[in-house]
Amino acid sequence: EALPMHIAILGVTGSGKSYTVGYLLEKLSSIKIGDRLIGIPGIIIDANGDYLDYYESFHNGEFECGYSKIYRFVFSNSSAAKEDFNATRIKIDLNLFEPRELAELIMDYYKTSSGSELAISLLEDVFSTLRSTGYGNLNYLFAEKDMFEREILAGIDKMKTEQRYHHQTVGAAKRAVSTFRTDLEKFGLLVVNPDEATVNEKLIDSLTENHELAIFDFSVEGATGISVKMKQLVVAYLTILLYKRFVDYKMGRVPTKMGYRGARYAIFIIEEAQYYCPNLATYPVGSSVAREYLSLIATQGRKFGLGLILVTQRPAFVDPIVMSMINTYFIHRISPDDLTYVKRATGGLPESLARRLTSLETGTLIVSGQMVPVPFPLLIRIPKRKITPTVGATFVSEYLRREVHVTVR
């Protein structure tokens, strides 16, 4: 019941964070209700392919769980898209956004900091005008280059002709929207028809109604050549999609096949959270497209049944608004630089535990907060997982033995 209250899993590289997330996922995917196993619906932003073992084991019939389906989402031009025929290519629906939201997303994507308010207003006016004159499908206007130039770029120029905006604002808006379109086309995210989108309301409905798990593979294989900024854009899109759909669920606007209307629940796991909701004062990552949207989920998502699970090596690098909404902490071995921050964020730890934070063994962690069933933090060791992780495993000795064998021959 504390899942929608948000969780942070903290620890330096090699401290066991991903193993812990995997073990937690195994528990959340195998909740026994009567004689059935039920899984909490979820989306994972998988930075390094740490959770693909679950995807592969599920498709091989080796992972007994309550999920009816596990998806692997990859970018269209990635190596995984060519090698894994079961993988789903990421395609987005721009009609999801209101004109203001799309304008803000475009300017945030284009600039390294908050976009120009005037340029945002200009783009909002253009998109609003297009919709009011019958162009309800923004996907078509962006996907078809001729339509993009004739309707969107020409619409921006018209704003200058009518002397509503300065030529510098017009220039900035045209550069931003052109860069946005070019990158979306380059990485295969655009569709002409909204029904061609793979990441949309239908996906969220299927996840929550059929108890499914979606893994967004942002590893080298699943996101070959993809910049952090483009990954941020996908996370921003996912976040606003989740927020809007879960508001609809809570308000009873989406009936299920059985006619039930009401709240649904899911988890949104984000690895390397500092890339998507950075604390710009301490971690100027260069772009923060998803930060505002994740702040919205952190502050309001719990009301609608959506729980964040943030995984990071450096909690001090995560947006303070987002971190202030965390109610449960899974703390592995941390950097000495984060010691003061973690002690403050958790509301204080017993000194006997606090002094161990920088020297905890791999797989050992401190759990503190809302999910703990007792009124004090616990020191625990994560048990063995059902699915043995393969990503990150090293075979140095085997490699050296092979080299010696080859040399002798």
Side-chain angles (χ1 to χ4, degrees):
E1 297 302 330
L3 275 175
M5 303 295 283
H6 309 320
I7 301 167
I9 299 178
L10 316 176
V12 297
T13 300
S15 61
K17 296 188 304 299
S18 296
Y19 195 95
T20 296
V21 175
Y23 183 78
L24 183 62
L25 185 64
E26 289 180 359
K27 290 297 183 185
L28 295 178
S29 68
S30 304
I31 299 170
K32 197 164 186 180
I33 307 293
D35 59 352
R36 291 183 58 198
L37 291 180
I38 299 293
I40 295 286
I43 293 176
I44 304 177
I45 302 300
D46 189 352
N48 301 302
D50 289 306
Y51 309 103
L52 295 181
D53 292 316
Y54 292 105
Y55 164 79
E56 292 170 1
S57 297
F58 180 86
H59 283 273
N60 292 333
E62 299 167 354
F63 179 33
E64 183 183 2
C65 64
Y67 288 130
S68 61
K69 186 172 183 178
I70 298 181
Y71 302 83
R72 180 191 187 187
F73 282 90
V74 300
F75 286 87
S76 295
N77 57 349
S78 66
S79 58
K82 301 167 187 170
E83 296 166 3
D84 183 358
F85 296 109
N86 290 317
T88 304
R89 301 185 180 199
I90 300 171
K91 305 280 186 181
I92 66 174
D93 180 7
L94 294 178
N95 292 334
L96 166 73
F97 297 100
E98 295 298 325
R100 175 73 186 188
E101 293 169 340
L102 182 57
E104 288 177 341
L105 186 70
I106 289 170
M107 291 308 300
D108 282 344
Y109 180 79
Y110 178 66
K111 300 178 74 66
T112 57
S113 58
S114 298
S116 162
E117 180 57 38
L118 286 174
I120 291 172
S121 296
L122 190 159
L123 290 174
E124 180 185 8
D125 283 346
V126 171
F127 298 144
S128 296
T129 300
L130 287 170
R131 281 192 169 174
S132 67
T133 54
Y135 288 106
N137 183 12
L138 289 175
N139 297 292
Y140 176 60
L141 297 183
F142 273 86
E144 297 294 338
K145 189 174 182 180
D146 290 345
M147 292 299 295
F148 176 77
E149 293 175 348
R150 191 170 71 200
E151 299 297 337
I152 294 180
L153 293 186
I156 294 172
D157 283 330
K158 186 178 179 181
M159 294 292 178
K160 181 176 67 174
T161 303
E162 295 176 353
Q163 297 183 339
R164 294 173 62 184
Y165 291 94
H166 192 272
H167 69 89
Q168 290 182 337
T169 302
V170 169
K174 289 181 71 174
R175 288 190 296 272
V177 75
S178 296
T179 298
F180 181 79
R181 181 202 176 274
T182 298
D183 287 357
L184 290 183
E185 181 182 52
K186 177 181 177 181
F187 297 117
L189 273 69
L190 287 175
V191 297
V192 174
N193 189 319
D195 291 335
E196 298 170 359
T198 58
V199 185
N200 54 16
E201 292 178 341
K202 290 181 181 178
L203 171 66
I204 307 305
D205 290 347
S206 184
L207 291 176
T208 55
E209 194 164 321
N210 302 316
H211 299 277
E212 298 170 345
L213 177 70
I215 300 172
F216 281 76
D217 182 6
F218 282 6
S219 69
V220 174
E221 290 77 19
T224 313
I226 302 297
S227 67
V228 170
K229 189 161 70 168
M230 178 55 69
K231 293 175 183 177
Q232 289 177 333
L233 188 144
V234 171
V235 173
Y237 172 85
L238 263 174
T239 304
I240 197 67
L241 169 64
L242 284 166
Y243 179 77
K244 287 187 170 186
R245 204 56 178 163
F246 273 78
V247 170
D248 287 341
Y249 295 151
K250 184 70 172 182
M251 301 303 292
R253 293 194 283 255
V254 185
T256 66
K257 295 174 184 176
M258 302 299 293
Y260 170 77
R261 295 174 185 265
R264 303 186 194 183
Y265 296 88
I267 51 173
F268 188 19
I269 302 173
I270 305 177
E271 285 264 358
E272 304 290 2
Q274 70 276 6
Y275 288 134
Y276 306 108
C277 46
N279 180 354
L280 297 178
T282 58
Y283 191 60
V285 70
S287 180
S288 56
V289 178
R291 185 170 64 97
E292 295 300 323
Y293 298 104
L294 280 170
S295 296
L296 184 65
I297 289 283
T299 54
Q300 299 187 45
R302 68 183 66 181
K303 302 175 186 176
F304 307 109
L306 186 59
L308 277 177
I309 300 180
L310 303 180
V311 187
T312 182
Q313 300 174 28
R314 296 299 309 275
F317 289 172
V318 179
D319 182 78
I321 295 175
V322 173
M323 287 301 291
S324 69
M325 297 294 110
I326 298 296
N327 282 276
T328 300
Y329 294 87
F330 288 63
I331 312 166
H332 299 72
R333 184 173 63 255
I334 61 171
S335 164
D337 294 339
D338 285 316
L339 184 57
T340 301
Y341 179 89
V342 168
K343 289 165 68 175
R344 184 174 68 250
T346 57
L349 293 170
E351 188 57 35
S352 60
L353 293 180
R355 63 171 174 259
R356 300 181 63 174
L357 285 173
T358 58
S359 59
L360 288 169
E361 294 180 3
T362 299
T364 301
L365 61 146
I366 296 168
V367 184
S368 173
Q370 188 85 20
M371 292 185 74
V372 182
V374 292
F376 48 83
L378 298 176
L379 179 66
I380 67 171
R381 178 179 290 278
I382 297 298
K384 186 177 180 179
R385 283 173 24 176
K386 295 178 185 176
I387 304 299
T388 302
T390 58
V391 174
T394 58
F395 305 95
V396 179
S397 298
E398 182 181 317
Y399 161 76
L400 293 174
R401 282 197 299 270
R402 183 186 62 186
E403 291 300 306
V404 170
H405 179 69
V406 171
T407 303
V408 171
R409 288 184 62 190

